[in-house]
Amino acid sequence: MSDSNLEAEEQTSYDETATRGQPAQPAANQEALTDLLTEPLTKAYVKAIVALYALLGAGMGLIVILSEIVDESIVDGGIGSDFVALTFAGIPISGVPHIAATIALLVGGYLGVRMAADDRQTMLTAGAGALAGTAALWILSSFLAVSQLDNTDIEVGGLIINAVVLGLVVGAIAAGTVYVMRNLVPDVQRSAA
């Protein structure tokens, strides 16, 4: 290896080491968040993520509806059977935060490895998709599940506010997962280079 190649390699290695752990400086021509959200690649991924979350939400709600249509008890008689029915219908309402957070890890991991865009756009895509998807998942599954419970109504305003707040947290999980996949997982770093 010639001296000039060795010097160039050392300089590249130094530059990479010097910039690790330091906040990235925004480029003068860096795109605005709204511009990134309207790019076709971002919109396509967000649409697919939301569709997956909505599909899961509708499926969870339909499971409760179909279990009521079949009308076969899971537990025989007494208070236990009412508790099982209430718990079964309550899973789409109370279990969604945990399900959405788990899916956010999968979404962020997938986009971190597969989406052909810079870190910022990929993190924004994962976050926006998980936020909107979580809202769709929780609202659809809750409405469908509550429709099967007697004397139970849903507070629409509270559900929407909680879905948005939960969606922000889940979106942060998805975006954080992209960051981890792209910056901390050695195999992904090597394949992206």
Side-chain angles (χ1 to χ4, degrees), residues 19-123:
T19 59
R20 283 193 188 131
Q22 296 179 2
Q25 299 298 321
N29 61 356
Q30 195 172 32
E31 291 182 85
L33 294 179
T34 53
D35 294 338
L36 290 175
L37 283 171
T38 57
E39 284 195 15
L41 181 64
T42 301
K43 288 176 18 179
Y45 272 110
V46 168
K47 185 191 302 184
I49 294 166
V50 172
L52 289 171
Y53 275 87
L55 180 63
L56 180 61
M60 289 175 67
L62 288 172
I63 287 170
V64 175
I65 290 173
L66 291 174
S67 72
E68 290 295 314
I69 290 172
V70 172
D71 199 25
E72 289 293 325
S73 64
I74 298 171
V75 176
D76 284 336
I79 296 173
S81 63
D82 292 338
F83 176 73
V84 169
L86 183 59
T87 304
F88 191 66
I91 289 172
I93 299 165
S94 63
V96 162
H98 306 290
I99 293 167
T102 303
I103 294 171
L105 287 172
L106 299 172
V107 164
Y110 178 81
L111 292 182
V113 173
R114 301 283 297 181
M115 188 171 173
D118 66 5
D119 288 359
R120 184 171 182 243
Q121 181 179 357
T122 306
M123 290 170 65

Side-chain angles (χ1 to χ4, degrees), residues 5-23:
N5 288 343
L6 185 59
E7 287 175 15
E9 187 175 307
E10 286 175 1
Q11 182 64 32
T12 303
S13 176
Y14 172 76
D15 290 343
E16 289 173 1
T17 305
T19 59
R20 283 193 188 131
Q22 296 179 2

